[in-house]
Amino acid sequence: MDSFPKDTHRYAFALVKAARTMPVDMAEKLDHIKQLRFNVQLNELRKRINRRIT
């Protein structure tokens, strides 16, 4: 999964892969998917903060 250049793609494909074997709400609670989601949210927050400052 690390071949995807964007964190959003990594998160989406990891979630889809995990959701094939379990319900989506359980897949979202997996540690590696939580970390990917956190990275995506952090990057978006940084963009939003930088947009307001400049």
Side-chain angles (χ1 to χ4, degrees):
M1 285 297 164
D2 292 328
S3 63
F4 299 108
K6 294 185 177 182
D7 286 335
T8 53
H9 294 150
R10 276 189 226 126
Y11 169 69
F13 283 105
L15 189 59
V16 168
K17 184 177 178 182
R20 288 180 183 157
T21 59
M22 64 184 73
V24 176
D25 62 329
M26 289 178 62
E28 287 180 332
K29 294 178 184 175
L30 296 174
D31 288 335
H32 70 283
I33 295 178
K34 281 184 185 178
Q35 185 63 43
L36 289 170
R37 183 177 55 223
F38 176 78
N39 291 342
V40 170
Q41 290 173 339
L42 185 63
N43 288 339
E44 291 302 316
L45 181 61
R46 285 182 181 152
K47 286 180 190 176
R48 196 170 112 200
I49 290 172
N50 288 338
R51 208 175 328 150
R52 287 185 179 186
I53 291 174
T54 58

